[in-house]
Amino acid sequence: MINFKQFELDNGLQVLVHEDHTTSLAVVNILYNVGSRDEDEDKTGFAHLFEHLMFGGSGNIPSYDAPLQKVGGENNAFTSPDITNYYLTLPAANLETAFWLESDRMQSLSFDPRVLEIQRKVVIEEFKQRYLDQPFGDAWLKLRPLAYHDHPYKWATIGKDISHIEQASMEDVKGFFDRFYHPGNAILVVAGDVSVSQVKSLCNKWFADIPAGPKNHRNLPAEPFQNEERLSVISAKVPVDAFYQVYHMSPRFGKAYHQADLVSDILGRGKSSRLFQQLVKEKKLFSSISAYVTGSLDPGLLVIQGNLSEGTSCQTGHQAVRDLIDEFLSVGVTPGELEKVKNQTESSLVFSEISLLNRAMNLAVAAVVGDPDYVNLEPQIIQNITEDEIMDMGQNVLRRENSSTLYYQKELA
């Protein structure tokens, strides 16, 4: 159970406070309601670029990291297709330093051309190292546009094409910042050895005078219903053949999401799963295989991903996965199997809440879709899912005409 209080400033900043006086630390988490799905298709990668630019200094603070380190703090950030999240941990006695740092870059981020050029180079190098120079690094660059034809999930967070970042102008960058990085588009979570009255006072001091910014009316194109099986085959210098298959499913928050998540766990979570037991351990067609869900805030994907054993073709592996799914949909799930994956999921939630930072992040993500208390409802939602619901979800999601498959084959010498 994550206890919290919430309030909102006049400029639209949503604030949640989670008091935990068993620790001497505090976490400050700021979630900006912007991800790669909010970008223009001809100017992608901007949300990720800002993950870097936000550490490039602001009006009164040339270096973000230096003053935080002086008071014993540490920080990081991540960007997803849905959100951009900045977080820091520091001794609770130094909480105001975090408010000073975060408010200054929200209000007066430095747009020094040198900073833009430095971070542009960092992002370009990251694109090359993580997506172009690693085996299978570009798999999702190929898979996303295969699965999504209209929705902006069709490009990766790093961007659709690195030329978009290479050609980004200062005007483009400032326009993106003004549109998304302001109190009216942010959620602040403060957790740890803090009080609600303390946080209210600091919010009024450091954030209340920042203008709200323009209201972001998100109107993204919905992905059309998929009614044909899709297949793409690529070859590259990789050590083994790999298999990727995705199915459209429900968005992150709601009972339908957890039903699909449990289906993915039954199929491919761990060495006791059906995919591993049958296709790795028994038939030895794959050297590794798993299933998982993307957890996207808009309708996401159930993913089956594996590396083929030497001598096994992608076609053979694909047919084996098909046969296993057909068997699952025909035979059904056993009560013991369902109970096991329910308990695994609930245990993961409980263990994640040991971390103060995870609690703050979970509250922020739930708040961005309108219900921070959802974090406390999830365990019961999961436990209430029935075998019939699991099978109905499986029949709905695991349709062949709902699948997009990528064969990533090893180039022949």
Side-chain angles (χ1 to χ4, degrees):
M1 185 77 173
I2 305 177
N3 297 308
F4 65 92
K5 300 290 184 182
Q6 58 183 324
F7 59 91
E8 186 173 318
L9 301 186
D10 290 342
N11 59 14
L13 180 67
Q14 297 179 58
V15 185
L16 291 89
V17 184
H18 166 57
E19 296 188 26
D20 180 355
H21 301 292
T22 66
T23 177
S24 61
L25 297 175
V27 166
V28 174
N29 188 101
I30 291 193
L31 182 154
Y32 288 97
N33 189 8
V34 55
S36 56
R37 64 175 171 165
D38 297 295
E39 298 162 347
D40 296 332
E41 189 166 357
D42 59 349
K43 293 180 181 179
T44 63
F46 276 64
H48 176 251
L49 176 63
F50 264 95
E51 178 191 323
H52 294 265
L53 289 176
M54 291 285 274
F55 293 100
S58 53
N60 300 297
I61 307 168
S63 169
Y64 179 94
D65 290 330
L68 182 61
Q69 290 169 355
K70 283 183 180 179
V71 298
E74 57 184 20
N75 70 89
N76 214 327
F78 66 84
T79 313
S80 80
D82 300 307
I83 62 171
T84 308
N85 198 64
Y86 299 86
Y87 54 93
L88 61 85
T89 303
L90 77 175
N94 299 321
L95 178 63
E96 189 163 7
T97 299
F99 277 76
W100 169 58
L101 288 168
E102 292 298 340
S103 64
D104 201 63
R105 66 177 175 179
M106 181 188 287
Q107 183 167 233
S108 56
L109 186 68
S110 170
F111 289 103
D112 187 331
R114 293 172 299 175
V115 173
L116 174 58
E117 290 310 311
I118 290 169
Q119 298 306 328
R120 189 200 309 270
K121 291 176 181 177
V122 169
V123 171
I124 291 170
E125 187 60 29
E126 181 181 345
F127 188 95
K128 292 176 180 177
Q129 288 185 355
R130 291 182 58 190
Y131 295 88
L132 302 183
D133 296 340
Q134 282 195 42
F136 311 112
D138 63 344
W140 277 93
L141 299 182
K142 309 292 186 184
L143 193 53
R144 282 186 174 276
L146 182 65
Y148 291 102
H149 287 182
D150 288 4
H151 192 282
Y153 284 164
K154 63 185 175 181
W155 60 80
T157 306
I158 195 73
K160 183 177 180 179
D161 193 299
I162 197 59
S163 65
H164 295 176
I165 296 302
E166 291 173 336
Q167 298 167 10
S169 68
M170 183 61 76
E171 183 181 3
D172 293 332
V173 169
K174 286 182 176 179
F176 196 83
F177 179 83
D178 291 342
R179 183 179 172 191
F180 294 112
Y181 294 81
H182 55 77
N185 200 48
I187 295 170
L188 169 65
V189 179
V190 185
D193 191 16
V194 301
S195 69
V196 175
S197 60
Q198 176 190 20
V199 172
K200 280 186 176 180
S201 176
L202 289 171
C203 282
N204 287 325
K205 179 179 180 179
W206 292 103
F207 285 100
D209 292 337
I210 304 176
K215 191 73 175 177
N216 180 31
H217 298 286
R218 185 177 278 127
N219 186 25
L220 304 179
E223 185 62 24
F225 183 80
Q226 183 175 334
N227 56 16
E228 83 286 340
E229 189 173 3
R230 300 171 186 166
L231 174 66
S232 179
V233 181
I234 61 173
S235 298
K237 293 180 180 179
V238 292
V240 296
D241 289 353
F243 173 85
Y244 299 81
Q245 186 169 71
V246 298
Y247 298 83
H248 292 282
M249 57 166 284
S250 56
R252 167 64 180 87
F253 287 88
K255 191 173 185 179
Y257 166 81
H258 285 294
Q259 292 167 0
D261 188 29
L262 291 176
V263 168
S264 76
D265 288 348
I266 292 165
L267 292 176
R269 179 174 179 171
K271 294 185 177 181
S272 62
S273 67
R274 295 194 181 197
L275 285 166
F276 188 92
Q277 283 292 312
Q278 292 188 34
L279 305 189
V280 176
K281 189 173 181 180
E282 296 174 15
K283 298 181 179 178
K284 303 188 187 309
L285 298 175
F286 287 79
S287 60
S288 63
I289 192 167
S290 61
Y292 57 93
V293 296
T294 57
S296 307
L297 297 188
D298 286 338
L301 300 171
L302 186 155
V303 185
I304 297 174
Q305 176 180 332
N307 291 339
L308 282 301
S309 299
E310 191 68 35
T312 302
S313 69
C314 287
Q315 291 85 349
T316 299
H318 190 177
Q319 187 59 53
V321 171
R322 276 178 172 169
D323 292 342
L324 186 146
I325 289 174
D326 288 346
E327 178 187 44
F328 168 71
L329 296 178
S330 173
V331 174
V333 60
T334 67
E337 200 173 24
L338 179 55
E339 187 66 23
K340 182 189 72 174
V341 294
K342 281 183 180 181
N343 291 339
Q344 286 175 333
T345 302
E346 189 170 355
S347 294
S348 296
L349 290 174
V350 171
F351 282 121
S352 75
E353 292 179 2
I354 293 174
S355 163
L356 181 65
L357 176 58
N358 282 348
R359 277 175 264 158
M361 285 186 184
N362 290 346
L363 282 172
V365 174
V368 82
V369 294
D371 185 11
D373 196 47
Y374 189 84
V375 296
N376 296 317
L377 304 177
E378 275 191 303
Q380 194 58 52
I381 290 172
I382 293 166
Q383 287 299 336
N384 288 343
I385 292 173
T386 67
E387 295 169 41
D388 288 342
E389 288 172 331
I390 285 289
M391 297 316 302
D392 287 345
M393 177 57 65
Q395 294 286 351
N396 181 50
V397 171
L398 297 173
R399 297 174 294 105
R400 290 187 184 180
E401 61 269 26
N402 187 39
S403 69
S404 299
T405 305
L406 175 68
Y407 295 170
Y408 203 128
Q409 297 178 337
K410 177 174 61 173
E411 280 186 354
L412 297 178

